């Protein structure tokens, strides 16, 4: 999982010089001039993006970020610019924030864009990092990792390609047929390509991949550059109507997140929920845990929670910047080991993966006790950027951010869906139409399986009771602490502790027995802490979390069949027309909600996806038709 940051030193004419590749990042003639001549003009961006709703650029090497910043700068200065600019880039050795700031200071005209980029610059861990700027009109998808491994995992239709990177003799993999083949796979009809490199094997490789290329005048001391075009097949239909209208069923963190992400793309959303306000069901707790869950093998659960955590942090910041703050606190999350065996595994994860300290580090029992301000019996993981979120406030902020593009219909209960004139009509118990749209998204938690079209999905209710412990302001712990359960800091005079996890139990009443279970977990987390609490006198809350057998969410188009041959490719499984699910979050709704909303909105809008293809497949609702569901297990903290 570990990434090796870029190492560089001043080179000829004070240009940054890579110590890893023994090559300069740009010519002495200037990186910004090269970006404008070779990549922006070479792809005829000003003319080609004019009047477009969206335009997508894919770059093979992010480097110093100059090509992205120059493209963004030119877009911002163009009165005829496209509505949405999406820039995707791959980088194996990214710069640290400190080094990036030092390098970019050489181009003061890019300072406004550079400041936003530096503010969003991620912890350097592998995966796709997505950032939005200009109120969502400029999107950067930065894929950190080896291009040979990353490019096959991307899903997009690129309108322009920037072939950039260190010279072929220093970095041959970047200029290989395997890379060119992936570019052809990702090319939109009529996509263009440009590069400063005119080496014969590069020109032939690009041509063999299907691009028509020609030499053009180069920049600075280079006589030529290459420019090309991909003829490709005609556009393929996505099956998604152009009306950009959708029904979202459910106003919890799942439904409000996808509604907000679609509204940001200028969709009109009708949101239906039986409650009288958002975040009243499983999303109604006072405070929930916000942190990833690593693993030694960096499995799909680990990668999905990492991606969700990092995107979620960005999204919380952006909601606040738009005037819709979420109630949350990055207090840090301490995840204590259950026993000595697990503590050794947790230490091994950090030693093997070498994550940045700002993302994750191992702490000893002594340091854990200092962080918690309470004696503990084990060490474990410390997530300094984690914390607690109040779920109803996230729901409310998402609705507010969507503005008039989201029409909430509270106090309305979906009884069934019905296809009418190519649209989904939401009907109440009396058969009256609540609303209709070409797209319907089921984000109604455990209520999803009451809809016949989605009944084959193995979503099961998991009863979770949280205990509310009276707490004084400033009392310990001031952080979130997890260990087979969790305890939050004091929030409005109450500390949340829990939670139970009981499958297929729909009893909404508080139980003394489950308060006892939560206090036992609390005592396991913080020895002796629970002694002053009487389970009979405690208040709390019961919610029903939609859980999936493999602990992964279900996001995507709903199957139209109840069974298929298990050798059937996912893409060949028939789907209900225009019917989608966002469910199965279990106890991890807060870490997944924002990213899953962005994923489904990207799928519906035809945008580049914010997750690798294998992860998108891993959460496809149709996956259960290809494998038997496993027994559902409880979830740790």
């Amino acid at each position: 999982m570990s990434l090796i940051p870029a190492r560089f030193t001043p080179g000829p004419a004070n240009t940054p010089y890579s110590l890893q590749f023994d090559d300069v990042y740009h010519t002495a003639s200037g990186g910004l001039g090269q970006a404008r001549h070779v990549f922006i003009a070479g792809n005829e961006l000003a003319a080609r993006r004019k009047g477009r709703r969206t335009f997508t650029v894919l770059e093979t090497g992010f480097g110093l970020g100059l090509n992205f910043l120059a493209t963004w700068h030119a877009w911002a200065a163009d009165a005829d610019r496209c509505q949405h600019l999406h820039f995707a880039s791959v980088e194996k050795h990214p710069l640290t924030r400190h080094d990036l700031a030092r390098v970019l200071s050489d181009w003061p005209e890019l300072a406004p864009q550079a400041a936003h980029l530096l503010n969003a610059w991620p912890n350097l861990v592998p995966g796709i990092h997505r950032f939005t700027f200009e109120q969502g009109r400029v999107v950067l998808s930065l894929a950190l990792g080896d291009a040979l491994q990353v490019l096959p995992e991307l899903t997009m239709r690129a309108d322009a390609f920037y072939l950039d990177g260190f010279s072929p003799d220093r970095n041959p993999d970047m200029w290989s047929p395997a890379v060119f083949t992936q570019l052809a796979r990702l090319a939109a009809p009529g996509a263009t390509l440009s590069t400063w490199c005119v080496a014969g094997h590069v020109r032939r490789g690009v041509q063999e991949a299907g691009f028509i290329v020609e030499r053009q005048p180069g920049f600075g001391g280079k006589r030529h550059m290459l420019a090309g075009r991909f003829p490709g097949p005609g556009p393929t239909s996505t099956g998604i109507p152009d009306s950009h209208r959708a029904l979202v069923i459910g106003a919890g963190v799942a439904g409000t997140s996808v509604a907000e992400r679609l509204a940001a793309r200028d969709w009109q959303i009708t949101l239906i929920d039986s409650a009288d306000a958002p975040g009243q069901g499983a999303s109604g707790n006072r405070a929930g845990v916000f942190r990833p869950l690593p693993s030694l093998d960096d499995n799909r659960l680990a990668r999905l929670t990492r991606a969700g955590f990092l995107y979620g942090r960005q999204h919380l910041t952006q909601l606040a910047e738009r005037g819709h703050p979420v109630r949350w606190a990055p207090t840090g999350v301490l995840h204590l080991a259950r026993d000595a065996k697990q503590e050794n595994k947790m230490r091994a994860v950090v030693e093997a993966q070498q994550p940045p300290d700002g993302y994750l580090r191992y702490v000893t029992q002594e340091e854990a006790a200092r962080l918690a301000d309470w004696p503990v019996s084990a060490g474990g993981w410390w997530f300094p950027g984690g914390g607690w979120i109040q779920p109803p406030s996230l729901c409310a902020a998402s609705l507010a951010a969507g503005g008039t593009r989201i029409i909430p219909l509270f106090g309305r209960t979906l009884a069934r869906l019905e296809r009418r004139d190519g649209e989904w009509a939401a009907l109440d118990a009396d058969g009256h139409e609540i609303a209709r749209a070409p797209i319907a998204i089921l984000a109604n938690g455990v209520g999803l399986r009451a809809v016949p079209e989605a009944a084959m999905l193995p979503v099961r209710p998991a009863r979770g009771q949280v205990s509310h412990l009276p707490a004084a302001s400033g009392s310990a712990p001031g952080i979130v602490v997890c260990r087979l359960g969790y305890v939050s800091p004091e929030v409005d005079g109450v500390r949340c502790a829990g939670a139970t996890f009981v499958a297929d139990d729909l009893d909404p009443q508080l139980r003394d027995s489950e308060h006892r279970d939560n206090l036992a977990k609390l005592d396991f987390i913080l020895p002796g802490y629970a002694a002053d609490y009487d389970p009979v006198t405690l208040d709390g809350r019961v919610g029903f979390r939609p859980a999936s057998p493999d602990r992964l969410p279900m996001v995507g188009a709903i199957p139209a069949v109840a069974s298929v041959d298990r050798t059937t490719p996912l893409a060949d499984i028939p789907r209900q027309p225009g019917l989608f699910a966002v469910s199965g979050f279990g106890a991890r709704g807060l870490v997944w909600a924002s990213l899953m909303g962005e994923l489904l909105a990207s799928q519906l809008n035809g945008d580049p996806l914010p997750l690798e293809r294998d992860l998108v497949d891993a959460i496809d609702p149709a996956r259960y038709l290809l494998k038997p569901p496993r027994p559902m297990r409880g979830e740790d903290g």
Side-chain angles (χ1 to χ4, degrees):
M1 175 189 132
S2 60
L3 286 173
I4 300 174
R7 295 183 296 110
F8 66 94
T9 187
N14 207 36
T15 59
Y17 192 91
S18 169
L19 297 175
Q20 274 126 334
F21 291 97
D22 192 24
D23 198 4
V24 293
Y25 274 89
H26 59 76
T27 67
S29 302
L32 183 55
Q34 177 176 281
R36 289 169 171 165
H37 178 89
V38 174
F39 298 111
I40 296 175
N43 281 281
E44 303 173 359
L45 291 196
R48 296 183 57 238
R49 70 180 174 223
K50 183 177 181 180
R52 293 279 297 273
R53 188 170 67 87
T54 62
F55 193 90
T56 299
V57 177
L58 174 58
E59 176 187 47
T60 55
F62 190 77
L64 309 179
L66 276 179
N67 293 336
F68 166 62
L69 294 174
T71 303
W72 178 4
H73 184 269
W75 174 90
D78 185 357
D80 294 324
R81 59 183 176 261
C82 55
Q83 294 180 40
H84 295 272
L85 172 67
H86 201 126
F87 193 101
S89 188
V90 177
E91 180 57 53
K92 183 176 182 180
H93 296 296
L95 273 69
T96 64
R97 180 184 283 107
H98 176 269
D99 286 344
L100 188 63
R102 182 157 56 95
V103 170
L104 292 180
S105 63
D106 290 339
W107 291 279
E109 63 190 289
L110 300 178
Q113 289 79 19
H116 287 298
L117 177 63
L118 290 168
N119 187 53
W121 197 244
N123 286 303
L124 299 184
V125 294
I128 299 174
H129 299 254
R130 175 159 290 185
F131 315 101
T132 60
F133 309 100
E134 303 277 1
Q135 291 76 52
R137 298 181 65 194
V138 174
V139 179
L140 170 64
S141 292
L142 181 60
L144 299 184
D146 191 313
L148 292 177
Q149 298 173 358
V150 170
L151 287 172
E153 293 294 334
L154 299 183
T155 302
M156 67 179 64
R157 279 290 173 260
D159 300 296
F161 294 97
Y162 294 0
L163 270 67
D164 202 6
F166 297 106
S167 61
D169 60 330
R170 308 296 170 87
N171 187 17
D173 288 346
M174 185 67 80
W175 307 92
S176 66
V179 167
F180 304 146
T181 297
Q182 289 302 318
L183 301 187
R185 179 183 68 83
L186 297 167
T192 59
L193 172 151
S194 64
T195 179
W196 53 265
C197 180
V198 293
H201 75 280
V202 170
R203 184 175 68 253
R204 291 188 296 272
V206 171
Q207 289 173 326
E208 290 170 1
F211 290 86
I212 301 168
V213 298
E214 63 178 3
R215 288 185 177 182
Q216 291 185 358
F219 173 75
K222 292 189 69 67
R223 183 178 179 185
H224 294 115
M225 56 172 273
L226 285 183
R229 184 175 295 270
F230 188 78
T236 56
S237 173
T238 63
I240 304 301
D242 294 329
S243 58
H244 295 160
R245 291 184 296 115
L247 300 176
V248 176
I249 313 301
V253 292
T256 55
S257 292
V258 73
E260 187 276 329
R261 290 289 74 213
L262 284 170
R265 292 163 165 82
D266 303 324
W267 282 56
Q268 190 68 44
I269 308 300
T270 302
L271 183 73
I272 300 171
D273 196 285
S274 58
D276 58 2
Q280 299 302 296
S283 301
N285 288 339
R286 290 178 179 230
V289 184
F290 180 58
R291 61 91 165 83
L293 187 64
S295 70
L296 188 58
D297 60 353
D298 203 27
N299 60 30
R300 288 171 177 174
L301 177 62
R303 292 166 60 203
L304 279 166
T305 57
R306 179 170 72 237
F309 173 73
L310 295 173
Y311 179 81
R313 287 264 323 189
Q314 291 286 333
H315 191 57
L316 290 167
T317 299
Q318 289 154 6
L319 285 172
E321 290 173 348
R322 293 159 61 190
H324 309 292
V326 176
R327 190 148 187 230
W328 82 291
T331 59
V333 175
L334 176 63
H335 187 142
L336 299 171
R338 294 188 299 270
D339 51 34
K341 182 178 180 181
Q342 189 190 34
E343 186 170 350
N344 288 334
K345 289 182 178 179
M346 296 171 91
R347 185 190 297 109
V349 167
V350 175
E351 291 175 350
Q353 299 176 358
Q354 296 292 302
D357 284 349
Y359 173 72
L360 164 67
R361 62 187 179 91
Y362 167 78
V363 294
T364 63
Q365 176 185 351
E366 292 75 18
E367 186 173 1
R370 288 195 298 271
L371 289 167
D373 196 19
W374 193 271
V376 298
S377 59
W381 287 328
W382 171 241
F383 302 96
W388 61 267
I389 297 175
Q390 192 172 84
S393 75
L394 176 58
C395 298
S398 294
L399 292 188
T404 59
R405 294 194 176 276
I406 301 177
I407 300 173
L409 300 178
F410 293 117
R412 306 297 298 273
T413 301
L414 173 75
R416 69 180 191 277
L417 290 172
E418 186 176 292
R419 290 288 287 175
R420 294 180 175 178
D421 301 322
E423 296 188 333
W424 287 104
L427 308 179
D428 63 17
D430 295 325
H432 298 142
E433 185 175 302
I434 303 171
R436 67 163 67 187
I439 300 295
I441 301 165
L442 300 178
N444 52 338
V446 297
L448 178 146
R449 291 193 68 183
V451 178
E453 291 82 358
M456 82 291 294
L457 298 180
V459 176
R460 295 173 63 187
R463 173 190 157 94
Q465 180 171 313
V466 176
S467 299
H468 293 166
L469 313 179
S473 177
S475 59
I479 62 174
V480 179
V481 190
C482 304
R483 192 188 190 198
L484 290 181
Y486 76 94
V487 59
S488 77
E490 174 270 333
V491 181
D492 297 333
V494 170
R495 193 180 306 282
C496 296
T500 59
F501 191 96
V502 186
D504 301 322
D505 185 337
L506 296 176
D507 178 12
Q509 300 302 313
L510 288 171
R511 296 172 180 163
D512 292 347
S513 61
E514 292 190 34
H515 280 319
R516 291 189 182 91
D517 289 344
N518 286 337
L519 291 178
K521 290 178 182 177
L522 177 58
D523 214 46
F524 186 59
I525 298 169
L526 303 173
Y529 198 97
D532 293 336
Y533 296 102
D534 182 353
V536 177
T537 64
L538 290 180
D539 196 3
R541 189 178 187 280
V542 174
F544 301 94
R545 297 161 292 191
S548 64
D550 58 7
R551 300 196 298 163
L552 300 182
M554 302 180 195
V555 181
I558 294 176
V561 294
S563 64
V564 295
D565 185 286
R566 289 184 178 170
T567 62
T568 306
L570 270 174
D572 292 345
I573 296 176
R575 309 296 174 121
Q576 295 281 357
L579 186 61
F580 298 82
V582 184
S583 189
F585 289 1
R588 311 194 193 283
L590 290 175
V591 78
W592 278 330
S594 297
L595 179 60
M596 295 304 111
E598 174 69 9
L599 171 63
L600 187 56
S602 298
Q603 290 175 324
L604 292 172
N605 206 53
D607 296 335
L609 299 190
L611 278 173
E612 295 89 335
R613 288 204 298 174
D614 69 318
L615 294 182
V616 174
D617 288 348
I619 62 177
D620 189 318
R623 68 187 185 270
Y624 292 108
L625 300 181
L626 305 179
K627 59 183 179 181
R630 296 182 297 176
M632 188 167 67
R633 298 176 291 166
E635 302 194 26
D636 184 356

